[in-house]
Amino acid sequence: MKMLLPLLLLRTSGMLLRRRVFSGPLLLLLLALLCLYYRTQRWSRSGSEGVPLETRSLISALEAPLSSQVQLSSQKPRYHQKAMVLMGQHLLSDTEVQLYRHVLQQMHFKVHTSRYVETSSFLKAQGGGGWSLLLCLSSSEQSCLRRISFSHLHQHQMVNLLPGLIGAFSDVGGGLCRFSARSQLTELDLPMKPHACGSANQKPHFPQDRSDGHFPSKAPLPVLVAMMNVYILVTSLTPLTSFLHDISVVMTNQDQYGQRMKIRDFLLQQLGPTASLESLGQIKKVIGVVLQAASANEKQESDVRCVLCFQLLTFSLVFNSSITPVVVQVDTKLTFKGLRDTFQRQITRDLILEDTLTILLRPPTHLSPETHLSLKKLMEQYGGCRGTNAVDFLLLFRFNQQLKTSCAFQLLYPTSPYPSPAPCDTSSLLLQISRYYQFPPNSRENGMNKWTNQQPDPSQGACVDPHLRQIYTDPALILTPPFNPKVKEYHTEVNFDTVMVRLHPEPGSAACRVHLDEHRGPRMANFPVGLGSSEISILVTDDAEAWPVVMAIYKVQVYRDSRPSLPMFGDHVTCSFAQDCGLRVRPGLPCGLQPHSSESQSPLQICSSGKAPGRWVVPCLSCSDNRTCDWREVAWQPDNCYHPLVDRPLLQDCLTGRKVLFIGDSTNRGMMYFLMERVNSSLEDWGKAHHTLVYQNLNRGQTQVSYSYYPQFWLEKSQRPTFREALLQLIHRSRPLLNSNQTVLVVGGVQWLNAKHLSTVQEVLDRESLGDILVVVKSLGMGFHLPVDGIRSLSLTQIQNLFRENENIISTAEGLGFEVVDTFGITMGRHKEFLAGRCACHFHEVEKLRSSKQPDSAASTTKWNRTAQTGPKPSSPLTVLHTDQAGGTFHVTGPVNRVYSEILLSRLCPRSREEVIR
């Protein structure tokens, strides 16, 4: 045996010289084999323990082609193989499709996508060849099995299906596996429930007795009651080779839902060091026995010819007061039934798929025909095993490379505990290779000491690779450009009905952390998506220090479309609605579009108050389909009256000499900026103020507007100014004030206001000798109706209670002689049309105009003087003051905000200046 390899190499070289064949790859291969042979001799002379010489020689022969390819890689251009992903019902935006595209492109594959084999022009054009990898996703599997001839695949072609294995675990009736029906094995012979296959088998339940244990342990050991899903990669059916992934989904009898855990960690936690090792061995043995039984009964020529095909399986195991499990279900795809969270299912699936591609495709296994021919001859004479052919060698070569690849898969079969096959059999050579990697590293070559599943723990140490592995979203978003860890900015569009997106970014390294929006933000969160553009920031941080250090920032711009609108060109009907059927605030009233009949017997009167009930009206082709409406023409229509539009000259005249004070939250502030723009024909100063502001020179210096933010929610409750304190501060900052309707106080917000606040207003005004000023109450509005992380969210019942509270506020305001603008009824029917903001309550937005015409000369020469109350700055990024320091012109947008802001103006300036003064 010691002289066999050098004699064989000399014979081969002599044949090549006589034939004058001097191909580069073959010469490099022969040189590599000679070098490896002499290194083998050094091993045998060095006295290293444990590794038989035959095994060393086998490993050396398997390493030779890789060595020659590495030496040639610098001389030839990078080889691009072609991969086809058949998506079936999956979308391009699905993370599974994105994962395949990204990983394969990194491995220098040119990736094509299609739905099914029948519709793939690429597969038809290739004529059965030209591609190296075919991935059939779950909904396209039947198309692949029906249309792909597995028995005629080329040796370099790889498919993620093993028809023989799928057939073995198919359901032949009531969950009975087909291989079980064909074999003579009984339930006592296999550690497997007989009805464990097919969709007819329901989710396994926890056992109620202790009679299910197989292979009981002889020594008294801790017992375990749990269900576990484990994930198996089968890379060959005959001979059988398979790997076990270290991720599992486990559920104990005390858990309602499963959780993702490493198998070793779970067993160690439940059983302790000694019993956990034995239990892991029993898991491997149980699965190996079942796979052997399936393989023995499903030997098919197609599986022998498709040497590169592979299959992922899910084994559901039950531990019934024993460290040895029983197989209760086998799925020929990845399933994660125990995981409740959608993102956890996606992340677990993608981790396994990425590891699968890693172990199968790294390093590349494309071997030249010359290399195949030479190694076929070598393997025929190696150890006297003349039955070994090039196909067997390719299988052995790939198996050796898979065991060297560091990833989360560990070898399942073949391993030492199983009986050794015949010495001159491919299975025997596979077993020799697997045993080689079970020896301690110091008894093997230094360059071959990568133990399978022996990776360093990436969660230890600093975040040195601050990249995302993937951005998971629900619903699935189509990112532009497609996700790539090196790309930091993305754009996506969603339709009108998508009002919320759930995000879960996953870091590429376990040592890194991700936070949404800010340093201490959540790792996963719901984001409301307002109309127009919203931006979501993803911070990749190193949390090793007390304060997270931002290493990278990813941004996702989400653009949400407006309602689909159909312009009116002909006959149409008028429809109306008061509330959306998706959020029925008033159960006793109709929802959605209804035919609208305008009662025109008498001319409409001007509304006597700002609380007049009404509805939205819109022209449509049919009231039964809101897609046929021209939503550009939607308008608010009070019942039996109307609010007159105040033109700018009257508004300016009406507000001359007046001071308007606003106290409330950002929705109140939006009304203030709308008033300022309407009065001055432009808005030249704007900020998301959360304190007190005074604008002294509005309307050619003849009108003053002041504002105080309430409540200051970002402060600790004990440090927040009370409503009384905030109101008094606003009054003092706005003095001198006249005790007449020349002074206007607008108070209100989205949902914080109640009847007690109104009583406080009256009390403070009387104390400050301002009892005769005009008070306008902005009532409650829609918002906080989405389950957004980090802020409160209201249930439907709570929103219905809010409507009743709003009625109480209106009644109290009228009793105190205050004017009311009811914004709840206006926002109720258009709650989906909110703009950017976490509360989903903003119906206005201030945008900077790139270019605009100058307003009238008087307005343009007036510089606004704004003074701001100094005080404690907010700590939340949502409360930071945003001001355009360089100046510019701004515009308040938002049709819903415009409606109730115009109602406010009509109440401040009804018909004529004289009527206001009276």
Side-chain angles (χ1 to χ4, degrees):
M1 182 63 197
K2 292 182 180 180
M3 298 300 297
L4 178 60
L5 187 58
L7 290 175
L8 174 62
L9 293 177
L10 289 174
R11 277 185 55 190
T12 306
S13 60
M15 291 170 59
L16 292 174
L17 290 172
R18 285 195 300 272
R19 297 180 183 181
R20 298 184 180 180
V21 179
F22 296 98
S23 63
L26 284 178
L27 287 176
L28 287 172
L29 174 61
L30 289 171
L31 290 173
L33 289 175
L34 284 170
C35 291
L36 288 169
Y37 167 74
Y38 286 110
R39 288 165 68 184
T40 301
Q41 297 307 304
R42 288 200 307 272
W43 290 345
S44 60
R45 289 192 298 266
S46 64
S48 59
E49 299 178 357
V51 181
L53 180 60
E54 292 80 2
T55 303
R56 293 181 184 276
S57 301
L58 175 59
I59 298 298
S60 299
L62 295 174
E63 289 294 314
L66 186 62
S67 301
S68 63
Q69 283 192 328
V70 170
Q71 295 177 32
L72 288 172
S73 62
S74 60
Q75 304 172 16
K76 293 184 177 181
R78 184 170 289 174
Y79 178 75
H80 284 266
Q81 303 181 77
K82 295 182 177 68
M84 167 57 71
V85 180
L86 296 179
M87 302 182 297
Q89 298 299 317
H90 292 264
L91 302 175
L92 277 171
S93 58
D94 289 354
T95 56
E96 183 175 354
V97 179
Q98 292 181 16
L99 172 78
Y100 282 134
R101 290 173 63 94
H102 174 65
V103 174
L104 291 174
Q105 286 170 356
Q106 279 191 321
M107 296 179 175
H108 312 301
F109 278 81
K110 185 175 183 180
V111 183
H112 301 262
T113 58
S114 185
R115 291 291 175 191
Y116 303 97
V117 177
E118 295 86 345
T119 59
S120 174
S121 58
F122 171 77
L123 289 178
K124 293 178 182 178
Q126 298 299 312
W131 54 270
S132 300
L133 176 63
L134 177 63
L135 297 174
C136 307
L137 274 57
S138 57
S139 53
S140 67
E141 286 181 350
Q142 292 304 315
S143 172
C144 290
L145 292 171
R146 186 171 55 248
R147 296 292 183 179
I148 299 297
S149 178
F150 285 81
S151 60
H152 292 86
L153 293 177
H154 297 288
Q155 289 185 9
H156 71 279
Q157 291 180 320
M158 181 183 303
V159 187
N160 67 329
L161 296 174
L162 283 171
L165 201 60
I166 294 176
F169 291 109
S170 63
D171 181 6
V172 296
L176 183 65
C177 301
R178 189 174 76 171
F179 86 91
S180 297
R182 288 181 173 183
S183 70
Q184 302 298 320
L185 299 174
T186 65
E187 182 181 356
L188 297 177
D189 300 317
L190 283 177
M192 179 179 186
K193 290 294 185 183
H195 299 276
C197 291
S199 58
N201 189 34
Q202 301 299 315
K203 180 180 177 180
H205 297 284
F206 280 103
Q208 301 299 321
D209 57 72
R210 298 176 176 239
S211 59
D212 291 333
H214 291 261
F215 307 118
S217 174
K218 297 179 181 179
L221 293 170
V223 295
L224 181 62
V225 178
M227 287 195 298
M228 175 185 290
N229 279 0
V230 295
Y231 304 99
I232 310 301
L233 171 63
V234 179
T235 53
S236 173
L237 187 58
T238 49
L240 178 63
T241 56
S242 59
F243 297 84
L244 170 68
H245 201 277
D246 67 358
I247 285 180
S248 67
V249 176
V250 296
M251 183 188 304
T252 67
N253 53 353
Q254 300 176 348
D255 300 326
Q256 185 178 2
Y257 298 103
Q259 58 178 323
R260 185 183 72 200
M261 292 187 69
K262 289 189 176 182
I263 298 175
R264 294 178 185 271
D265 293 345
F266 174 72
L267 295 177
L268 182 63
Q269 174 185 333
Q270 297 289 325
L271 301 175
T274 304
S276 63
L277 288 176
E278 184 168 348
S279 183
L280 179 60
Q282 292 297 329
I283 290 174
K284 293 181 177 181
K285 185 174 183 179
V286 163
I287 298 174
V289 168
V290 173
L291 288 177
Q292 277 183 291
S295 173
N297 285 274
E298 298 294 331
K299 290 183 179 179
Q300 295 181 359
E301 182 183 357
S302 61
D303 298 317
V304 176
R305 294 293 302 276
C306 184
V307 68
L308 301 187
C309 291
F310 62 96
Q311 181 76 47
L312 284 165
L313 304 172
T314 302
F315 272 69
S316 298
L317 311 175
V318 166
F319 294 86
N320 184 15
S321 300
S322 171
I323 64 168
T324 301
V326 176
V327 178
V328 295
Q329 188 168 351
V330 180
D331 288 296
T332 54
K333 56 185 178 182
L334 300 180
T335 61
F336 310 97
K337 299 174 183 176
L339 294 177
R340 181 186 185 186
D341 185 75
T342 301
F343 289 149
Q344 287 300 315
R345 292 196 294 268
Q346 290 179 322
I347 293 170
T348 306
R349 178 202 62 199
D350 288 3
L351 285 172
I352 296 173
L353 292 177
E354 188 170 359
D355 288 334
T356 299
L357 293 180
T358 298
I359 194 173
L360 293 175
L361 302 179
R362 286 181 180 168
T365 57
H366 178 77
L367 303 179
S368 65
E370 294 88 351
T371 304
H372 271 298
L373 179 61
S374 177
L375 292 170
K376 176 181 178 181
K377 294 179 179 179
L378 175 64
M379 295 306 297
E380 285 178 351
Q381 300 187 45
Y382 171 77
C385 298
R386 297 184 177 275
T388 308
N389 54 34
V391 173
D392 294 322
F393 174 79
L394 182 56
L395 177 64
L396 297 172
F397 172 78
R398 280 171 45 82
F399 185 67
N400 180 62
Q401 298 306 313
Q402 288 160 6
L403 290 183
K404 289 175 54 180
T405 302
S406 179
C407 71
F409 278 104
Q410 55 184 295
L411 181 62
L412 178 66
Y413 190 91
T415 53
S416 296
Y418 297 99
S420 297
C424 284
D425 185 87
T426 305
S427 298
S428 175
L429 299 178
L430 289 169
L431 187 58
Q432 285 189 49
I433 298 171
S434 69
R435 285 174 174 169
Y436 172 79
Y437 288 96
Q438 294 173 9
F439 286 108
N442 58 10
S443 68
R444 295 164 22 205
E445 182 190 9
N446 293 333
M448 301 181 185
N449 58 1
K450 295 181 179 178
W451 285 68
T452 303
N453 201 34
Q454 298 297 315
Q455 305 176 88
D457 187 358
S459 63
Q460 304 298 322
C463 174
V464 295
D465 183 21
H467 290 95
L468 293 179
R469 192 177 63 82
Q470 184 58 268
I471 300 175
Y472 295 93
T473 64
D474 184 22
L477 301 180
I478 301 177
L479 298 180
T480 304
F483 177 76
N484 186 315
K486 297 181 180 179
V487 178
K488 300 298 175 62
E489 294 189 3
Y490 298 91
H491 172 80
T492 187
E493 296 185 7
V494 297
N495 59 29
F496 172 77
D497 291 321
T498 302
V499 296
M500 188 173 65
V501 172
R502 189 163 182 79
L503 242 67
H504 185 127
E506 187 72 7
S509 169
C512 304
R513 298 290 184 268
V514 292
H515 300 278
L516 296 170
D517 267 359
E518 55 174 322
H519 289 72
R520 296 295 188 185
R523 180 176 181 175
M524 174 175 59
N526 288 334
F527 284 89
V529 183
L531 292 177
S533 293
S534 302
E535 182 177 276
I536 303 173
S537 296
I538 304 169
L539 282 63
V540 183
T541 66
D542 187 343
D543 289 3
E545 303 297 332
W547 183 257
V549 178
V550 177
M551 308 294 290
I553 299 178
Y554 291 76
K555 292 185 178 181
V556 180
Q557 290 280 350
V558 183
Y559 182 84
R560 179 172 164 233
D561 289 332
S562 301
R563 285 181 182 269
S565 188
L566 182 65
M568 294 293 107
F569 295 107
D571 295 336
H572 61 270
V573 296
T574 301
C575 308
S576 65
F577 63 98
Q579 61 181 344
D580 190 279
C581 292
L583 193 65
R584 299 192 65 170
V585 180
R586 303 183 65 184
L589 295 182
C591 66
L593 292 176
Q594 305 291 326
H596 182 73
S597 59
S598 57
E599 300 177 1
S600 57
Q601 290 82 1
S602 59
L604 292 178
Q605 303 296 317
I606 294 178
C607 296
S608 59
S609 74
K611 71 176 184 63
R615 61 194 63 248
W616 293 94
V617 295
V618 59
C620 304
L621 294 179
S622 170
C623 293
S624 61
D625 189 350
N626 59 17
R627 295 171 300 177
T628 67
C629 302
D630 189 351
W631 290 100
R632 301 171 303 172
E633 302 297 325
V634 63
W636 175 254
Q637 176 62 65
D639 296 341
N640 305 318
C641 67
Y642 73 97
H643 297 287
L645 182 66
V646 183
D647 59 22
R648 180 169 288 110
L650 176 58
L651 184 62
Q652 291 174 336
D653 182 53
C654 164
L655 292 180
T656 297
R658 303 180 80 178
K659 293 185 177 182
V660 186
L661 289 65
F662 289 83
I663 182 170
D665 57 26
S666 55
T667 61
N668 214 24
R669 188 178 61 209
M671 296 176 69
M672 178 189 73
Y673 282 126
F674 183 88
L675 178 148
M676 292 168 62
E677 182 179 1
R678 283 275 277 115
V679 171
N680 228 44
S681 76
S682 67
L683 183 62
E684 297 181 10
D685 198 357
W686 165 77
K688 291 183 179 179
H690 290 76
H691 43 259
T692 302
L693 298 174
V694 178
Y695 296 91
Q696 296 177 334
N697 292 330
L698 185 68
N699 191 18
R700 302 179 181 90
Q702 300 179 85
T703 303
Q704 176 179 298
V705 171
S706 55
Y707 169 75
S708 182
Y709 192 94
Y710 182 86
Q712 296 183 12
F713 56 86
W714 60 90
L715 298 176
E716 294 291 337
K717 193 171 183 179
S718 60
Q719 299 178 359
R720 295 178 193 170
T722 64
F723 178 70
R724 181 189 303 273
E725 292 169 341
L727 179 57
L728 283 169
Q729 184 185 60
L730 176 64
I731 291 173
H732 294 159
R733 292 280 294 163
S734 305
R735 286 189 184 278
L737 298 172
L738 297 176
N739 186 23
S740 69
N741 59 9
Q742 288 293 88
T743 301
V744 181
L745 175 64
V746 182
V747 56
V750 59
Q751 289 172 9
W752 59 267
L753 187 67
N754 59 46
K756 292 182 179 179
H757 292 108
L758 302 184
S759 299
T760 301
V761 170
Q762 185 65 61
E763 181 185 334
V764 169
L765 294 179
D766 289 342
R767 172 187 165 185
E768 298 294 318
S769 301
L770 295 172
D772 293 332
I773 72 170
L774 175 60
V775 179
V776 181
V777 176
K778 174 198 174 297
S779 74
L780 307 183
M782 287 300 298
F784 300 97
H785 52 276
L786 299 176
V788 177
D789 295 271
I791 62 173
R792 70 185 184 114
S793 61
L794 302 180
S795 65
L796 177 58
T797 301
Q798 290 173 315
I799 294 174
Q800 292 170 346
N801 293 336
L802 203 65
F803 172 79
R804 290 188 284 272
E805 176 65 21
N806 191 69
E807 293 291 300
N808 184 38
I809 290 172
I810 294 175
S811 176
T812 302
E814 289 182 316
L816 294 171
F818 298 161
E819 183 70 62
V820 176
V821 176
D822 181 19
T823 55
F824 195 93
I826 295 172
T827 58
M828 181 175 65
R830 300 181 71 175
H831 67 91
K832 287 185 177 180
E833 297 182 52
F834 62 91
L835 300 173
R838 298 290 297 276
C839 62
C841 64
H842 294 144
F843 293 93
H844 78 280
E845 195 170 49
V846 181
E847 60 182 21
K848 184 175 182 180
L849 302 179
R850 294 185 178 179
S851 62
S852 60
K853 296 181 180 179
Q854 287 287 347
D856 60 272
S857 58
S860 63
T861 57
T862 301
K863 295 296 182 181
W864 295 358
N865 297 328
R866 185 186 72 174
T867 58
Q869 169 72 22
T870 59
K873 294 183 178 180
S875 59
S876 169
L878 299 176
T879 63
V880 174
L881 175 64
H882 297 280
T883 306
D884 191 286
Q885 301 294 341
T889 303
F890 303 88
H891 174 57
V892 182
T893 63
V896 178
N897 177 76
R898 171 181 287 274
V899 166
Y900 51 70
S901 296
E902 291 286 5
I903 294 176
L904 170 66
L905 299 184
S906 72
R907 301 316 303 162
L908 294 180
C909 305
R911 285 193 287 187
S912 68
R913 169 71 169 160
E914 291 74 16
E915 186 173 335
V916 173
I917 295 177
R918 291 198 299 270

